Amino acid sequence: DFVINLLKHPVFLNNEYTTKFIDTTPELFQFKKRRDRATKILTYIADITVNGHPETEGRPEPRSDLKPPVLPTLANDTPPAGSRTLLDAEGPEAVAKWMKEQKQLLITDTTMRDAHQSLLATRMRSIDMIKIAPAYAANLSPLFSVECWGGATFDVAYRFLQECPWQRLRDIRAKMPNIMTQMLLRASNGVGYTNYPDNVVQFFVKQAAESGVDVFRVFDSLNWVENMRVAMDAVGESGKVIEGTICYTGNVLDPERAKYDIKYYVDMAKKLEKAGAHVLGLKDMAGLLKPAAAKVLIPALKDAVDLPIHFHTHDTAGIASGTILAASDAGVDAVDCAMDALSGNTSQATLGTVVEALQFTERDTGLDIGAIREISNYWEAVRGQYAAFESGLQAPASEVYLHEMPGGQFTNLKAQARSMGLEERWHEVAQAYADVNQMFGDIVKVTPSSKVVGDMALMMVSQGLTREEVEDPKTDVSFPDSVIDMMKGNLGQPPGGFPKGIVKKVLKGDKPDTDRPGKHLDPIDIEATRAEVSKELEGFKLDDEDLNGYLMYPKVFLDYMGRHRTYGPVRTLPTLTYFYGMEPGDEIEAEIDPGKTLVIRMSAVGETNEEGEAKVFFELNGQPRTIRVADRS
Ligand code: BTN
Ligand code: 3PY
Ligand code: ZN
């Protein structure tokens, strides 16, 4: 029973969550033929040129006067020592000690992870990050860390960007050797939406550490410390920084939300310290912590534990930098900001603004504002290429205090609502989201629990169900699978458990499991799985990174591998080419191996013949090449 056929493992077949905007058309990717990599890439460009990319179809296009991103000049040839230098030389405890002794406010740049997850549906491609990484290393070496991995970026890379997330990590790490990289890890839910067996979580953390992650922000979607230990221990084992994290919800100043009061957070902080955290993370995923609350909460946490505190928030209500300044006054050690061009709204506070606000004060960040502006200008031009994934959100909104949606979920749920024809009824969805939260007992809402609340809210609005009707034992309700799964206990337990009435109704009287979910999941036989998947892939040798990709997302990974066989290393294409193909006369370069660059020029697209095939004419490194693709446009 130890050997499990993973392809059929129910844990992995369930809950394959998608963050997609628009349905992809898998037929697009289904022709098989072995070809060299250059031909594969030309085939991809030809196909997108003739048929368009399914994800950008019908979406706003980049401006026609868009300028290419400009890379800043590097201030030095060898990157100055930074946080990573310290971690490597002296270990995570030394990093924690240094954080506490600093006067300056330490800053994490989230542009490469949370900012684009929260503004651009996680669609930023690796090439745009890797190019700017040397400028971070050279010009912004006093940064505390660069958050560039984990959260939703892992599956979106495979699923929608046709790239290997591990390669992204290795490449960023290589180009930015002096600053700590940081990832967001959903504890036992890994970078997925369901609880994984303990040995899968351990295998994943070990690989992430080896491939380049330095700081692991570990959180549980119900704030259940019991369910965080396996992941935290694995980080400790690998010698990296354990940022044991509290998710903030409710309002510590509101006596009506007594469940999440100061004592609740202080108790959790103490548990995380005992569980081995080097740093205490305070993750305000929805942006609910107000300045006045920060002034109370931060000192209470500082008093309770001897750990440095790293504060994360979102600017959804427009007040994030105000809260950061209040937290800074209250003694917080590090905070998260996003580069100006990818900040604000559902993203993080504006990095340059926080740096400016603290200049000539005790907590001056020491970051070079000119360097920040240059890097932000680069991101501004990059962002312009992702117009198709902008949410259209025009302004900050205090409505977040009503619904409490995480910034990383907000634009996604809105897109999901749009695809269900509910966009006009968004404010009802927001109200339903708040009602579902109360119905579930006022829980922490962050991936994956936030997805469960979102599923339920959309279902109620689309079916016209009120909370009273859902709770009424006499009304028949067919609950979303994710709700059934959570009520069974498969995401763990919130403080005080889920309300008995709703559990009874959802499970139709079945008993929920209140143990830690991982306790009952059999370990996966890693080597047997490797052999099985390798067979599935006609002998392809999976390394540990690939295997970890498979273990998190079996189907997504196999689909990715299938498309990789057809289209090759498309991650090396410029972003506009990747999403829009080429115009006759365009010339691009793609570095498919270090030092091996393809120069690709597209000369013309021929008429579509009677078999429905179009010919696309290229020059590849000066040699003419013709590619034929099915015209489905
Ligand atoms: C290339 O440039 O050809 C490499 C593309 C990266 C993906 C392939 S597919 C699975 C395997 N895992 C990796 O990290 N790289 C390869
Ligand atoms: C994620 O888990 O992806 C999040 O961003 C949660 O805030
Ligand atoms: Zn966030």
Side-chain angles (χ1 to χ4, degrees):
D1 69 343
F2 192 74
V3 182
I4 293 165
N5 181 349
L6 260 172
L7 298 170
K8 302 198 183 82
H9 196 299
V11 173
F12 295 123
L13 290 177
N14 284 337
N15 282 316
E16 291 264 14
Y17 178 56
T18 73
T19 39
K20 74 173 106 181
F21 258 178
I22 300 164
D23 276 350
T24 49
T25 46
E27 315 83 69
L28 174 64
F29 299 111
Q30 278 165 12
F31 28 168
K32 284 242 161 77
K33 250 193 231 166
R34 294 289 163 100
R35 281 170 290 199
D36 65 77
R37 287 188 299 166
T39 308
K40 290 178 184 182
I41 282 203
L42 291 182
T43 303
Y44 178 85
I45 300 172
D47 197 327
I48 299 298
T49 301
V50 170
N51 297 303
H53 191 292
E55 283 235 286
T56 55
E57 198 190 321
R59 299 290 306 163
E61 284 179 21
R63 296 166 56 122
S64 54
D65 60 352
L66 192 66
K67 300 278 182 298
V70 177
L71 289 170
T73 310
L74 305 186
N76 40 61
D77 293 330
T78 314
S83 55
R84 173 93 188 308
T85 322
L86 176 63
L87 175 64
D88 272 1
E90 296 180 43
E93 287 83 8
V95 170
K97 184 163 176 284
W98 163 74
M99 287 176 78
K100 284 187 290 184
E101 287 167 358
Q102 288 297 302
K103 255 209 168 132
Q104 71 200 55
L105 183 67
L106 295 168
I107 301 222
T108 293
D109 179 312
T110 63
T111 313
M112 301 187 202
R113 205 285 299 180
D114 205 355
H116 75 97
Q117 179 174 332
S118 299
L119 294 175
L120 302 174
T122 328
R123 293 308 197 273
M124 193 188 283
R125 298 174 65 246
S126 302
I127 193 169
D128 294 321
M129 307 180 195
I130 296 159
K131 278 192 183 157
I132 193 71
Y136 277 83
N139 303 355
L140 287 181
S141 62
L143 279 173
F144 172 68
S145 65
V146 169
E147 192 193 45
C148 56
W149 215 66
T153 63
F154 188 84
D155 76 289
V156 171
Y158 283 131
R159 199 192 297 260
F160 296 118
L161 304 178
Q162 189 52 29
E163 13 182 274
C164 170
W166 299 101
Q167 184 149 13
R168 172 185 300 182
L169 174 59
R170 273 184 273 112
D171 288 349
I172 294 174
R173 158 51 66 232
K175 303 258 183 215
M176 196 189 71
N178 54 339
I179 305 173
M180 293 195 294
T181 57
Q182 183 170 317
M183 83 164 286
L184 184 67
L185 181 65
R186 303 164 182 158
S188 295
N189 305 311
V191 285
Y193 297 82
T194 186
N195 237 268
Y196 293 91
D198 293 350
N199 75 327
V200 171
V201 175
Q202 288 155 344
F203 186 44
F204 182 86
V205 168
K206 180 168 178 282
Q207 188 58 51
E210 273 171 26
S211 295
V213 175
D214 297 315
V215 180
F216 289 73
R217 175 172 289 160
V218 183
F219 73 95
D220 176 72
S221 82
L222 296 169
N223 267 350
W224 199 27
V225 177
E226 250 348 89
N227 214 15
M228 296 169 68
R229 293 183 200 279
V230 171
M232 288 175 68
D233 288 348
V235 176
E237 196 69 28
S238 68
K240 301 297 189 177
V241 179
I242 311 172
E243 184 169 310
T245 297
I246 298 174
C247 297
Y248 179 80
T249 192
N251 180 358
V252 287
L253 298 182
D254 180 356
E256 309 251 294
R257 293 292 287 281
K259 186 166 182 177
Y260 301 101
D261 59 4
I262 294 284
K263 182 175 178 305
Y264 169 84
Y265 292 112
V266 161
D267 287 350
M268 184 166 177
K270 287 181 177 160
K271 282 186 201 160
L272 289 172
E273 183 174 43
K274 273 219 185 87
H278 301 116
V279 176
L280 180 67
L282 178 61
K283 175 176 165 66
D284 177 16
M285 59 279 169
L288 302 177
L289 187 71
K290 296 166 183 169
K295 279 188 192 160
V296 179
L297 181 58
I298 301 285
L301 295 175
K302 285 234 116 185
D303 273 355
V305 295
D306 196 26
L307 304 174
I309 301 180
H310 191 174
F311 174 48
H312 171 86
T313 189
H314 286 254
D315 203 23
T316 315
I319 205 169
S321 51
T323 307
I324 282 175
L325 295 178
S328 170
D329 282 346
V332 83
D333 298 276
V335 299
D336 285 6
C337 295
M339 277 294 163
D340 303 19
L342 273 129
S343 71
N345 279 338
T346 49
S347 175
Q348 271 66 62
T350 309
L351 199 150
T353 301
V354 170
V355 168
E356 286 277 358
L358 292 171
Q359 209 189 5
F360 310 122
T361 74
E362 272 196 330
R363 306 224 60 195
D364 196 323
T365 63
L367 291 167
D368 176 352
I369 191 68
I372 290 167
R373 280 200 301 266
E374 281 183 342
I375 290 180
S376 183
N377 291 346
Y378 168 87
W379 287 124
E380 183 178 25
V382 165
R383 183 173 180 172
Q385 303 183 348
Y386 292 88
F389 306 103
E390 293 281 353
S391 71
L393 193 72
Q394 296 291 322
S398 54
E399 191 183 42
V400 71
Y401 301 114
L402 164 73
H403 55 65
E404 305 186 338
M405 282 170 210
Q409 180 185 33
F410 187 94
T411 46
N412 245 291
L413 196 69
K414 213 165 181 183
Q416 241 176 296
R418 186 193 308 144
S419 74
M420 294 171 68
L422 299 175
E423 191 167 35
E424 262 75 81
R425 299 172 65 190
W426 176 249
H427 297 291
E428 285 173 62
V429 175
Q431 182 61 58
Y433 192 99
D435 292 345
V436 172
N437 178 48
Q438 289 307 321
M439 186 163 75
F440 288 173
D442 193 3
I443 60 171
V444 168
K445 295 160 294 300
V446 63
T447 323
S449 63
S450 53
K451 179 189 176 284
V452 182
V453 173
D455 288 348
M456 186 71 205
L458 286 176
M459 182 259 207
M460 284 167 65
V461 174
S462 67
Q463 300 188 13
L465 286 168
T466 63
R467 175 179 172 189
E468 287 65 37
E469 286 165 329
V470 172
E471 287 179 318
D472 183 351
K474 293 192 282 294
T475 329
D476 215 27
V477 179
S478 143
F479 289 94
D481 288 346
S482 64
V483 174
I484 299 170
D485 196 59
M486 186 168 82
M487 291 302 153
K488 272 187 186 156
N490 290 344
L491 297 184
Q493 295 299 310
F498 293 107
K500 295 210 167 55
I502 194 73
V503 174
K504 193 165 168 208
K505 175 134 189 197
V506 173
L507 300 186
K508 302 190 161 71
D510 281 0
K511 274 249 154 326
D513 206 329
T514 54
D515 281 338
R516 184 178 75 81
K519 199 171 150 187
H520 302 294
L521 293 172
D522 284 335
I524 298 297
D525 184 330
I526 308 248
E527 289 317 314
T529 305
R530 195 194 309 270
E532 234 172 78
V533 181
S534 179
K535 218 167 121 197
E536 180 89 358
L537 295 172
E538 297 162 27
F540 177 85
K541 292 256 173 299
L542 284 97
D543 61 19
D544 286 357
E545 291 181 343
D546 297 330
L547 194 50
N548 269 292
Y550 176 84
L551 288 167
M552 280 290 138
Y553 289 97
K555 185 171 171 343
V556 170
F557 176 78
L558 293 176
D559 289 350
Y560 158 78
M561 289 298 287
R563 292 190 300 261
H564 189 72
R565 246 175 229 200
T566 308
Y567 292 125
V570 295
R571 67 184 170 81
T572 61
L573 291 173
T575 292
L576 289 176
T577 310
Y578 179 79
F579 284 122
Y580 297 96
M582 293 174 77
E583 301 271 348
D586 281 355
E587 184 175 294
I588 57 141
E589 293 187 354
E591 189 176 1
I592 59 170
D593 279 327
K596 181 173 160 105
T597 298
L598 307 178
V599 180
I600 301 170
R601 196 184 147 79
M602 204 269 268
S603 3
V605 182
E607 302 262 299
T608 299
N609 68 13
E610 270 156 26
E611 280 87 65
E613 270 187 346
K615 279 186 183 166
V616 183
F617 301 94
F618 292 100
E619 273 168 38
L620 173 67
N621 297 334
Q623 302 296 313
R625 290 288 301 268
T626 307
I627 302 282
R628 291 191 293 174
V629 288
D631 181 348
R632 299 178 310 278
S633 65

